[in-house]
Amino acid sequence: EERAVLLVQAAGRMRARKHEFSAWLVMESGKNWAEADADTAEAIDFMEYYAREMVKLAQTNDRQPLVRMAGEDNRLHYIPLGVGIVIPPWNFPLAICAGMASAAVVSGNTIIMKPASTTPVIAYKFYELMVEAGFPADVIQYLPGSGAEIGDYLTSHPKTRFISFTGSKEVGLRINKLAAEQSEGQIWIKRVVAEMGGKDGIVVDETADLDAAADAIVASAFGFQGQKCSAGSRAIIVESVYDELTGKIAERAGRLAIGSPEDNAPIGPVIDRSSFERILDYIETGRAEGKLLVGGGRGPEGGYFIQPTVFSDVEPDAAIMQEEIFGPVLAIAKAKDWQDAIRIYNDTEFGLTGAFFSTDEGRIETALEQIHCGNLYINRKCTGALVGVHPFGGFNMSGTDSKAGGHDYLLLFTQAKLTSRRV
């Protein structure tokens, strides 16, 4: 209860200084004001949600009543794991950082928090806030630095009990591999909670509201320059409405203005030079794999700006349909019918978010069962999960199936202990 109270107090302090935190996000990560405000709001939601959920979890007998046995007092308690490593990403450097850290700390653990190299300041501002709210300074250790140097060391350390990571598939798999090896002096199996990105798609059949679908596809593909693990970087459209819908998508994408995040431009810069060059390389790949409808080049000088880019007529097995680009690039594929569209959607190693646009209830029911992803949305965009409303996390190479913002997420940072006493 004491930890939960401190977490609620921290959330209140962040709410009072909301625009200050959002300003750091605009400055450091290149988010526009709308995206930054959502990031800060989500951080507040995570802190308040996990505080209340931890209190519920502590009331064990109400949550998981045990079968009674005469002459025994049996209780199941959830206790902390120990010292953990929290490695948040740069694309939601406040919300995901706050969510991962809050869940670990309110569960009774202590953590070393290693922020992404490109967004260390906003993570420090969060750490500072937690100390101001009353958390002992050594409960959360703030440690910026190189992921390869610091991350590998901490992951392999024998005193590390768990690693909570959000980032790329490649880094997540490396962490999982290192954590699986027993270090000298290590007396436990390390727990890994990993969210590793996606290649998310929106499927549209011929019964759908095409204007609503076009709006959702563009918003999902190009929000924060496509730098979201939930970004809808694929659109899969049945052939009978393919030309009409691709035209609507191209028209909307072509209207997106590029500019400064401080001015709240719809499209700002990508995070750094490395990402800038990698995304431009993917665009060159896309020229050979599809038909360029919109964009395809650099944005204005003075930043890492890339034009919102749309490719049509892309084959399902093409690189830009299979690999996570993490930039403002949308690939569109044509399907014979709605069932073929679902098949194309599932043809990926990832499984994070997806959306299905249709007005046919029978098809919707089939899609709900057959589209394989952690967060499936019907007739809406595939980004914008809300804490407590849309518990977030995916399948396959998208991670370890954890559900951030869900009531069972805290169980990942605890272990169950049964006590039985003769009475």
Side-chain angles (χ1 to χ4, degrees):
E1 288 78 7
E2 182 181 354
R3 296 192 298 269
V5 167
L6 292 179
L7 202 50
V8 171
Q9 290 176 357
R13 286 171 177 264
M14 186 178 289
R15 183 180 286 104
R17 296 162 52 193
K18 184 179 183 187
H19 298 314
E20 175 191 336
F21 280 89
S22 295
W24 278 111
L25 287 164
V26 172
M27 175 69 75
E28 192 172 39
S29 69
K31 295 198 171 198
N32 64 20
W33 284 100
E35 292 283 349
D37 182 79
D39 198 322
T40 306
E42 186 174 16
I44 296 168
D45 287 346
F46 271 131
M47 287 189 281
E48 293 198 338
Y49 181 80
Y50 289 144
R52 289 170 172 81
E53 285 298 311
M54 192 62 222
V55 172
K56 293 178 185 177
L57 185 60
Q59 298 165 349
T60 308
N61 289 331
D62 292 333
R63 182 183 176 90
Q64 185 174 328
L66 302 177
V67 176
R68 292 188 177 276
M69 176 163 292
E72 289 187 0
D73 180 13
N74 297 310
R75 297 175 182 271
L76 188 67
H77 302 277
Y78 292 94
I79 64 173
L81 292 174
V83 180
I85 314 303
V86 170
I87 308 174
W90 55 260
N91 65 330
F92 285 88
L94 181 56
I96 295 180
C97 176
M100 295 164 71
S102 296
V105 170
V106 80
S107 305
N109 305 287
T110 60
I111 61 171
I112 297 172
M113 187 171 71
K114 198 220 82 65
S117 300
T118 47
T119 52
V121 174
I122 190 64
Y124 181 78
K125 291 297 179 180
F126 167 72
Y127 162 76
E128 199 173 45
L129 177 88
M130 295 288 273
V131 174
E132 290 173 4
F135 281 94
D138 54 356
V139 166
I140 304 176
Q141 295 284 349
Y142 170 81
L143 183 63
S146 162
E149 182 179 357
I150 296 176
D152 284 3
Y153 175 81
L154 295 175
T155 297
S156 300
H157 198 282
K159 294 296 185 183
T160 295
R161 180 62 179 84
F162 66 91
I163 303 99
S164 182
F165 167 79
T166 300
S168 70
K169 181 193 82 170
E170 291 75 20
V171 175
L173 290 177
R174 176 170 177 78
I175 287 173
N176 198 55
K177 181 178 180 180
L178 290 174
E181 297 177 357
Q182 184 182 10
S183 301
E184 184 177 355
Q186 179 181 327
I187 61 170
W188 44 59
I189 299 173
K190 294 173 182 175
R191 184 173 298 176
V192 175
V193 181
E195 196 275 278
M196 306 189 312
K199 189 64 179 175
D200 312 299
I202 296 180
V203 175
V204 185
D205 78 3
E206 72 278 10
T207 73
D209 180 332
L210 299 188
D211 287 314
D215 289 341
I217 289 167
V218 171
S220 299
F222 301 118
F224 189 38
Q225 296 76 260
Q227 298 175 122
K228 301 179 181 181
C229 53
S230 59
S233 58
R234 299 183 297 156
I236 303 150
I237 306 167
V238 299
E239 60 184 356
S240 60
V241 293
Y242 182 85
D243 291 340
E244 182 181 359
L245 183 51
T246 54
K248 291 178 182 290
I249 293 167
E251 188 271 331
R252 286 162 170 77
R255 289 203 311 258
L256 294 173
I258 304 173
S260 167
E262 295 95 314
D263 297 329
N264 204 37
I267 302 295
V270 298
I271 189 65
D272 59 15
R273 178 175 294 278
S274 174
S275 293
F276 179 74
E277 293 174 349
R278 178 179 49 78
I279 295 164
L280 289 175
D281 285 344
Y282 268 111
I283 289 174
E284 288 307 305
T285 299
R287 293 179 188 277
E289 293 184 332
K291 175 184 176 183
L292 179 64
L293 295 183
V294 176
R298 301 165 183 253
E301 294 296 323
Y304 299 127
F305 297 107
I306 295 177
Q307 297 172 345
T309 299
V310 180
F311 290 102
S312 65
D313 301 343
V314 182
E315 291 298 318
D317 60 352
I320 62 170
M321 280 286 286
Q322 291 291 330
E323 298 175 19
E324 187 176 37
I325 299 172
F326 228 66
V329 181
L330 171 67
I332 306 177
K334 183 186 296 185
K336 295 192 295 290
D337 53 32
W338 65 277
Q339 293 163 313
D340 185 44
I342 291 176
R343 180 193 62 79
I344 294 171
Y345 173 89
N346 286 333
D347 182 22
T348 171
E349 65 178 352
F350 296 102
L352 185 53
T353 75
F356 183 69
F357 274 80
S358 177
T359 57
D360 186 304
E361 286 300 323
R363 295 180 182 183
I364 290 172
E365 287 301 314
T366 300
L368 288 171
E369 179 181 342
Q370 292 186 359
I371 291 180
H372 192 64
C373 61
N375 285 57
L376 175 61
Y377 303 100
I378 304 300
N379 293 326
R380 56 148 286 185
K381 64 178 183 173
C382 64
T383 58
L386 296 174
V387 176
V389 180
H390 314 107
F392 187 81
F395 305 149
N396 299 347
M397 284 298 169
S398 287
T400 55
D401 310 329
S402 58
K403 281 295 185 184
H407 76 88
D408 55 352
Y409 187 70
L410 294 174
L411 293 174
L412 300 173
F413 302 93
T414 63
Q415 49 195 340
K417 180 178 182 178
L418 183 283
T419 61
S420 181
R421 180 176 180 176
R422 284 286 183 181
V423 295

